[in-house]
């Protein structure tokens, strides 16, 4: 098992954001977390990547307990995150942003840059453009590309479709599938539950800091409760 999250509890001050979340991600999978705003999805990703401290529970990566490992060391062992809101460096060029993603690495990066530009052709055309002048979709491409530059075994994606036009959303999801097919395991948090479930192998539903359902993604796509809550009433009646 590549990632094992075991009964993790996380607090923001006195507020318990995660109340015993457990999940697993096998190598080669796309696993998605769905749920309403405030369910704990982003907190789960931040805790896995080392940006939030555990109150209790543990996180295993490749069988090793990383619960107390600093975030920058988790990047070194193969966990990389593309954050909610993209978090690009607006005053830096596309190329400079991508190279920031490889700050833990040494040696020739040309093969990795070629991979990113192969996935995101638009970035190849605009590699010298400051990221702050780019569209939301282009900035999302930069954020994902930057995360890939650390050569992760596990890529954490937080709301990659947020604020994007439908055509760009489809493009981003196709690229996530391609990234996975190239050998990178993906843990995806996504408000667009229908597309996330269509893309993923397995899924977990979070509500108020707890996992309330876990199943193959196709099963949840056809689950009446999930369809009613996250896929729209019209779908539940179809």
């Amino acid at each position: 098992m590549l990632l094992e999250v075991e009964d993790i509890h996380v607090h923001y001050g006195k507020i318990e954001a995660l109340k015993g979340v457990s999940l697993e991600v096998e190598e080669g999978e796309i696993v998605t977390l769905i749920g309403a705003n405030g369910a704990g999805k982003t907190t789960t990703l931040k805790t896995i990547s080392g940006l939030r401290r555990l109150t209790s529970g543990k996180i295993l990566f490749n069988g090793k307990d990383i619960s107390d490992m600093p975030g920058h060391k988790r990047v070194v062992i193969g966990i990389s995150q593309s954050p909610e809101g993209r978090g690009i460096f607006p005053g830096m060029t596309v190329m400079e942003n991508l190279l920031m993603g490889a700050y833990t690495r040494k040696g020739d990066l040309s093969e990795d840059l070629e991979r990113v530009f192969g996935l995101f052709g638009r970035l190849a055309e605009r590699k010298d453009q400051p990221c702050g002048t780019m569209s939301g979709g282009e900035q999302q491409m930069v954020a994902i590309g930057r995360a890939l530059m650390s050569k992760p075994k596990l890529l954490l994606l937080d709301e990659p479709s947020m604020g994007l036009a439908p055509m760009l959303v489809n493009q981003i999801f196709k690229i996530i599938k391609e990234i996975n097919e190239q050998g990178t395991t993906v843990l995806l948090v996504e408000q667009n539950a229908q597309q996330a479930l269509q893309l993923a192998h397995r899924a977990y539903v979070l509500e108020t800091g707890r996992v309330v359902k876990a199943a193959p993604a196709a099963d949840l796509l056809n689950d009446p409760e999930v369809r009613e809550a996250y896929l729209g009433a019209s779908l539940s009646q179809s």
Side-chain angles (χ1 to χ4, degrees):
M1 192 64 65
L2 184 63
L3 177 72
E4 298 166 83
V5 174
E6 299 181 0
D7 192 29
I8 63 170
H9 293 251
V10 173
H11 285 75
Y12 288 90
K14 292 183 178 180
I15 298 169
E16 190 173 27
L18 299 183
K19 305 167 184 175
V21 168
S22 296
L23 60 89
E24 295 180 339
V25 182
E26 288 191 39
E27 193 165 352
E29 283 191 307
I30 300 176
V31 174
T32 189
L33 308 180
I34 64 170
N37 288 333
K41 305 183 303 296
T42 291
T43 300
T44 300
L45 287 198
K46 285 184 173 180
T47 307
I48 293 166
S49 63
L51 298 175
R52 297 297 314 175
R53 286 188 64 83
L54 289 170
T55 306
S56 63
K58 64 181 177 178
I59 299 170
L60 304 176
F61 187 69
N62 264 336
K64 180 182 178 183
D65 191 339
I66 63 165
S67 305
D68 297 320
M69 182 182 284
H72 66 280
K73 291 189 177 176
R74 298 189 196 192
V75 176
V76 174
I77 65 168
I79 299 174
S80 186
Q81 181 167 352
S82 175
E84 181 182 18
R86 299 163 196 140
I88 50 100
F89 301 101
M92 295 167 64
T93 65
V94 168
M95 182 65 84
E96 288 167 339
N97 267 271
L98 293 178
L99 292 176
M100 284 296 288
Y103 79 98
T104 61
R105 300 180 54 205
K106 295 176 182 175
D108 184 15
L109 299 171
S110 56
E111 192 176 308
D112 304 285
L113 286 166
E114 193 175 314
R115 179 193 182 196
V116 170
F117 290 141
L119 288 164
F120 303 105
R122 207 176 305 194
L123 299 187
E125 299 164 8
R126 305 188 178 197
K127 59 186 178 184
D128 297 319
Q129 183 173 336
C131 286
T133 65
M134 302 177 84
S135 71
E138 290 163 343
Q139 289 181 4
Q140 186 63 68
M141 293 175 190
V142 172
I144 297 173
R146 181 182 60 193
L148 287 173
M149 287 298 294
S150 68
K151 249 186 167 168
K153 294 174 184 143
L154 175 64
L155 177 63
L156 308 177
L157 296 176
D158 195 354
E159 302 287 7
S161 77
M162 184 183 283
L164 302 186
M167 192 184 300
L168 270 175
V169 171
N170 291 335
Q171 186 181 351
I172 290 290
F173 273 91
K174 282 179 187 171
I175 290 167
I176 294 168
K177 185 178 181 185
E178 192 173 343
I179 289 167
N180 178 247
E181 288 171 348
Q182 290 177 358
T184 304
T185 305
V186 176
L187 180 57
L188 169 69
V189 159
E190 181 53 59
Q191 278 294 115
N192 190 330
Q194 185 171 7
Q195 283 198 268
L197 291 172
Q198 287 170 340
L199 177 71
H201 301 100
R202 291 188 306 106
Y204 293 85
V205 180
L206 268 66
E207 288 181 8
T208 58
R210 292 185 174 91
V211 173
V212 295
K213 285 181 184 282
D219 291 356
L220 289 182
L221 198 56
N222 295 307
D223 182 304
E225 290 181 2
V226 171
R227 289 164 75 86
E228 185 70 35
Y230 305 111
L231 305 180
S234 61
L235 272 172
S236 68
Q237 294 160 6
S238 63

